[in-house]
Structures are given as structure tokens and as C-alpha cells.
Amino acid sequence: MRRFVLLLLLLTACGRERPPAGPPSRVLRWGGDAEGGAPFVEADPQDPSKLRGFDVEIARFLAAGLGRTPQFTQVAWASIAQSVERGDFDVGLSGLEDTPALRARFAVSLPYFEFRQVLAVRAADSSRYHALADLRGKRVATLGSTGAYQLLLDAERTHGLVPVSYDDDVHPYTDLAEGRVDAVLLDHVIAERALRRTGGFVIQPVPIALGHYVAVFARRDSLLRDSADAVLRAAMRDGRLERVFREWQVWDAGQAAYVRRVGMAEARTAEAGTAEAGTAEARTAGTASIGTYLPALLRGTGLTLVISVAAMLLAVGCGAAIAAGRVYGGALPRAVLTTYVEIVRGTPVLLQLFVLYYGLSSVIKLPALLAAIIGLGLNYAAYESEIYRSALLAIPRAQLEAARTLGLGEWQIFRLVRGPQAFRLALAPMTNDFVALLKDSSLVSVITVVELTKQTAIYATNVGSWAIPGALCALFYLALSLPLSRLARALEARWSAA
């Protein structure tokens, strides 16, 4: 009995010493991509340390309604949902599209904006291209990993158009004006902003499809999502949402009709049924996602291999010429080639791809695939030239003098004495460079080439997870690089023995 009393007192004391449960967080952490720009989220031109945009205002509504202070976290648009799941912030905003796949994995808010997928074409083509069915064989641009891109993939099968994926929403419209693509399919909010900014095209009045922007929460935060829905409904009822959209010039009759529909209880019931059906559909799609996306990954793998092999052949040829010029050339060629090598090695390959594809478009409009091969090839040529130059200089001078004593010319010395030995020395670094180039080929997605990594990013965004897509992508890269490494080792062993 005494032990029981002591144990009870001990537990009571422990209970008193336990720190009281802290108050719930007073900060609402929200994530978005300021690179997307207005009207979603952008740095204020008057004070870049501040943000503005209608998603910024919505984040403030939500925070105020929840009794919290908004706190922004910058994240790439394609990674917003994944970062919510990781717990990097509480809610993701930034023009996120409501999709069945998103609803299957996350707690999605009440859609707060209805957008139209609209077709933009050059003025001269406005009487010919009204719908996707009119664009057979034509190049149609959009943002990758979006509902519009999925529409174009479907239309590729049914109407034979050519989808072109971009990483930003600026260059699709500049390329449309310059004639690189024949049409652009994107949200009317983005299209109208591009028309005000650059012009050079018209927007067809009949939309291709409708979609909605939502806020995304982790599934564990479904109660927080429910509270946010109540805040959004209140903002719709009292007109705060309308005032924000009017301020950003995105309020129109279609948006007013959508808000009225949301305000009707019958419409909410119907939306709930639609959402449940969408969730069930998404679960089914998620189960079969590997089979659905595997053909696209295989196409991306093939394109990655083509780009890498072609770029490496260009790099080897140019690299050998540069190395020969620096070893055998005069002072002026050596100075020019050295400058080229230092400039290329000292600047990012991503920047070089941008300059080659976009920066020089007023001089020469290279097709995206050709620009990718040339960009990677010329970049790696600088590195290859250093390998070959060092290999050539590694051949003992005594061998070269002996060859000259025997009456061989410089070309004969290079072909029979210096070249073969230098090639053996360069083989291992060349193989390493080829494997590196294989991985660097993922950078060419910035100039609209949809290779393996870009296909994987689209897959991951659509299913809301990087686990399976990332594992498949890694397997494909290993399947490409490991045989190459084994072949290189075999050649090294064979020529070493010789």
C-alpha cells in the first residue's frame, strides 16, 4: 500500500513537471513560386523584398481567418505539393490546378478560381486554328506537368499535333511570335498577361477546357483544410475574393458565375460527389500509373541516348581539333583556342543552352533538339580538349625525337607514335565524361526537349510522388551508363595488354 501511494505521488509529481502543451502554431507557412510572376505570386517591383499577387492575398485571407500570421516559403512550382507532404510548409498556393491525382494524395481546398484553357495563335492563323483538331502536324506549346500538357498529349494521339513542353510561361509566347511554334495552350490568366506584356498573337474566344486553382494541404492537415474552406467561402460571400480578383484584372462574368455556383448548397453537394468520383478515379489511375507512363519514359530514354551520343561525337571531334591546335598551332591559334576553353569551362552549361536557343534566335533559329546537341557538344568539347592535350603532352619527348631521327614526318609521328598512346591515356577520362554528359543531358529540358528526366518530372507531378518515377528514372540511367563503363574497362584492359 505504501509503495502504491509513493508511485501515485511520483506519477502526480511527474504530471506536474510535464511541460504544458504549447499553443498551436501562430504562423501559417505557405509555399509558392515567385518565379511564376503576376498575377499569382511575384516580387513587388517597388520593393522586391515584398510579395504581391492574388495568391498572396488569398494566403493573407487564410492566415487572418485562422488567427495566424502568413509566412512565405519559395519553392519551385512543380515541387509545391511534394514540399507540403514533406512538411516544409502548411499550405501550397501558386496557381495549382485541381486534378484527380492531386485529390488522391493531398487535402485539397475548395477551388477558389475557375480558369479557361485557351488557344493563342498568330493573328495570320486566327481564321485557321480554332481548336486542337485544326492543328494536325503543328507544334503546340505549353507548360510541362500541367493539365494543358496532358490535353496536348491526348490530342497528339487523336489529332496528330506535336506537343512542345516549356519550363516557364514566357518563352512559349515569344516563340509563338517568332514562328517557332504554331500555337500555345495555357490558362487564360497566363495568356492575357502574356498578351499585355509582349503581344504578337491573338487568343481564340472559345476555351478548350475549364480548370480550377486550389490550395493544397497534407492529408494529415485535413482539419486545417476544412477551416481554410470556411475562410474561402466567407471571402466569396462577402466579396473580398472578388475585390482581389478585380484588382488583378482576372474577374469576369465566368468567375462571377462560378462564385454563385459555389454559394449554392446544391452545387456544393454536386461538387462533393464529383470530388469523390475523381478520387476513386485517381486511385485507379495511380495503381496503373507505371503502365501508363512507361512508354513516355522509354521515349525519353531513347531521346536521352540520342542526344548524349550525338553530343559526345561532336565533343570528341571538336575537342581533338582544339587539342591539336593548342599543341601544334602557332601563338595566335593557341590564344584563341585557350580563350574558348576558359570561357566555356567558366560559365554554366545551362546559361550556354539559354543563349544558344533563345539569345541567338534573332540571328539563327535552331531547332530545340539540334540546339541541345550543339550546346552540350561544344561545352564538353572544352573539357575533352584538355584531356587530349594532356595525353598528347604525356608522351615522352625522347620517343618523338627518335621517330624524327628515323625520318618520320610530324603527321606520321602523330598517327603512328603519339596518337595511339595518347588515346589509351585519354580513354578512361573520356568514358567518365560520357557518363557525366549522359546525366547533364537532363538540362536540355529548359529549351523544350522532353528527355528522360523531364518525362519523369511530368510523371511525378501527375501522380504526386517521386518514389516510383524516381526509381524508374534511376534504373533507366543506370541501364545506359553501366554497360558503357564495362565496355570502357574492357577496352582499357585489352589495349593495356597490347
Side-chain angles (χ1 to χ4, degrees):
M1 184 61 183
R2 180 180 297 175
R3 289 181 179 176
F4 175 76
V5 172
L6 288 174
L7 180 60
L8 185 61
L9 290 173
L10 181 60
L11 289 175
T12 304
C14 290
R16 283 199 302 268
E17 291 175 3
R18 184 184 303 161
S25 171
R26 308 311 297 173
V27 172
L28 180 70
R29 300 170 302 154
W30 71 282
D33 186 2
E35 188 181 355
F40 305 100
V41 183
E42 71 167 359
D44 189 339
Q46 304 299 321
D47 183 358
S49 64
K50 297 179 180 177
L51 294 174
R52 66 176 195 172
F54 67 66
D55 275 320
V56 178
E57 297 300 326
I58 290 171
R60 288 173 184 158
F61 287 166
L62 296 178
L66 298 170
R68 302 187 184 187
T69 302
Q71 183 180 83
F72 176 72
T73 299
Q74 168 64 34
V75 61
W77 184 84
S79 302
I80 292 176
Q82 310 299 324
S83 295
V84 168
E85 191 171 36
R86 275 172 40 87
D88 295 339
F89 38 79
D90 304 310
V91 54
L93 290 161
S94 219
L96 297 176
E97 298 178 0
D98 187 7
T99 65
L102 197 69
R103 286 187 175 274
R105 294 186 56 84
F106 300 95
V108 175
S109 78
L110 171 76
Y112 58 82
F113 188 87
E114 185 173 84
F115 64 88
R116 304 180 294 279
Q117 303 277 15
V118 295
L119 203 60
V121 298
R122 287 182 291 275
D125 297 329
S126 59
S127 60
R128 292 192 296 163
Y129 305 143
H130 299 279
L132 298 181
D134 302 330
L135 290 158
R136 177 174 293 278
K138 303 298 181 183
R139 291 164 55 84
V140 185
T142 191
L143 282 171
S145 308
T146 61
Y149 186 63
Q150 187 58 49
L151 283 174
L152 293 185
L153 291 179
D154 295 340
E156 181 183 23
R157 291 187 288 272
T158 56
H159 302 310
L161 56 75
V162 182
V164 182
S165 170
Y166 284 76
D167 281 346
D168 66 274
D169 58 18
V170 175
H171 288 105
Y173 293 101
T174 56
D175 281 359
L176 173 65
E178 294 175 0
R180 272 180 162 164
V181 297
D182 300 290
V184 178
L185 179 68
L186 272 173
D187 310 2
H188 77 275
V189 173
I190 299 173
E192 290 170 358
R193 179 184 63 180
L195 188 61
R196 290 192 294 270
R197 181 180 58 230
T198 60
F201 61 90
V202 297
I203 299 173
Q204 296 293 18
V206 179
I208 304 299
L210 295 177
H212 299 90
Y213 297 143
V214 293
V216 177
F217 300 79
R219 277 215 168 273
R220 61 183 174 276
D221 290 333
S222 57
L223 292 178
L224 182 63
R225 183 275 316 270
D226 294 343
S227 300
D229 281 355
V231 175
L232 287 173
R233 285 195 180 90
M236 288 182 181
R237 283 195 301 270
D238 62 22
R240 280 179 293 160
L241 211 54
E242 178 182 341
R243 287 194 291 276
V244 168
F245 289 151
R246 282 187 183 279
E247 180 183 350
W248 288 98
Q249 303 176 18
V250 295
W251 181 266
D252 55 20
Q255 190 63 24
Y258 172 69
V259 170
R260 282 196 299 274
R261 291 200 303 274
V262 173
M264 300 168 62
E266 295 82 1
R268 290 203 299 272
T269 304
E271 280 183 10
T274 303
E276 290 174 4
T279 302
E281 180 185 343
R283 286 172 182 152
T284 304
T287 305
S289 64
I290 294 179
T292 302
Y293 289 96
L294 191 57
L297 293 179
L298 290 173
R299 283 198 304 273
T301 304
L303 186 57
T304 294
L305 188 59
V306 168
I307 293 170
S308 302
V309 171
M312 193 64 193
L313 289 175
L314 179 62
V316 169
C318 292
I322 294 170
R326 294 187 67 184
V327 172
Y328 294 104
L332 180 60
R334 285 203 304 272
V336 172
L337 293 172
T338 301
T339 302
Y340 170 80
V341 169
E342 295 305 324
I343 290 176
V344 171
R345 291 197 309 175
T347 54
V349 63
L350 195 62
L351 175 65
Q352 294 162 18
L353 289 171
F354 267 121
V355 171
L356 187 63
Y357 187 68
Y358 294 114
L360 300 181
S361 62
S362 60
V363 180
I364 181 171
K365 293 178 182 175
L366 292 171
L369 181 60
L370 183 59
I373 292 170
I374 292 176
L376 286 176
L378 293 181
N379 178 271
Y380 270 78
Y383 295 93
E384 292 303 301
S385 71
E386 287 300 276
I387 293 173
Y388 305 150
R389 188 175 68 88
S390 61
L392 288 171
L393 295 176
I395 307 305
R397 184 175 296 274
Q399 290 189 25
L400 306 180
E401 294 298 335
R404 292 189 184 101
T405 303
L406 292 173
L408 298 180
E410 288 301 321
W411 170 244
Q412 288 177 307
I413 294 172
F414 177 80
R415 185 168 60 87
L416 301 174
V417 179
R418 204 172 194 181
Q421 295 185 75
F423 183 70
R424 291 174 190 170
L425 293 174
L427 183 59
M430 282 174 61
T431 307
N432 187 58
D433 271 2
F434 190 25
V435 174
L437 191 153
L438 196 68
K439 292 177 288 186
D440 280 352
S441 65
S442 62
L443 297 172
V444 302
S445 66
V446 299
I447 56 171
T448 78
V449 179
V450 185
E451 39 65 60
L452 176 56
T453 302
K454 185 64 177 178
Q455 290 284 13
T456 304
I458 293 170
Y459 177 13
T461 301
N462 288 349
V463 301
S465 169
W466 270 90
I468 295 177
L472 287 174
C473 182
L475 286 176
F476 283 126
Y477 273 114
L478 287 173
L480 293 176
S481 62
L482 289 180
L484 181 67
S485 300
R486 291 180 63 86
L487 175 64
R489 283 197 295 271
L491 289 175
E492 283 182 67
R494 178 180 176 182
W495 287 336
S496 296

